[in-house]
Amino acid sequence: MIIAIDGPAGSGKSTIAKFIAKNLNYRYIDTGAMYRAVAWSAGKKGISLEDENAVGQWAAQLKIEFLADPLGQQVRVNGDCLLYTSDAADE
């Protein structure tokens, strides 16, 4: 099952999503981390973020993984660890 929450910045979407995921024992995926992963890897590859077609083609080739980790959630791009996100609901 996929649950998507939409709304303006700062409205608490991530807080609610983490809370729901934790309480329903679902996996929380930080879509913002997906965007950062695409931007990071495009920049590393020398692709201009202004070139939407090139970024889109590059993004289609990427393997983005979210892995459970003691530090939270590990975000990997083509096998390289990019960042960690917290799975815990904000207190």
Side-chain angles (χ1 to χ4, degrees), residues 57-76:
Q57 290 174 358
W58 176 246
Q61 299 176 47
L62 295 178
K63 180 179 180 184
I64 300 173
E65 300 173 279
F66 290 84
L67 304 172
D69 189 277
L71 297 175
Q73 195 174 65
Q74 191 181 124
V75 181
R76 291 185 163 264

Side-chain angles (χ1 to χ4, degrees), residues 4-69:
I5 301 173
D6 194 15
S11 63
K13 298 179 302 291
S14 293
T15 301
I16 294 299
K18 290 174 187 177
F19 177 81
I20 290 170
K22 181 178 180 181
N23 285 284
L24 294 179
N25 199 31
Y26 286 5
R27 178 182 234 171
Y28 168 74
I29 296 178
D30 181 352
T31 55
M34 294 171 81
Y35 287 109
R36 290 188 296 277
V38 171
W40 170 80
S41 63
K44 187 175 173 184
K45 185 78 172 171
I47 299 170
S48 170
L49 296 180
E50 301 295 320
D51 187 344
E52 295 177 16
N53 288 330
V55 172
Q57 290 174 358
W58 176 246
Q61 299 176 47
L62 295 178
K63 180 179 180 184
I64 300 173
E65 300 173 279
F66 290 84
L67 304 172
D69 189 277

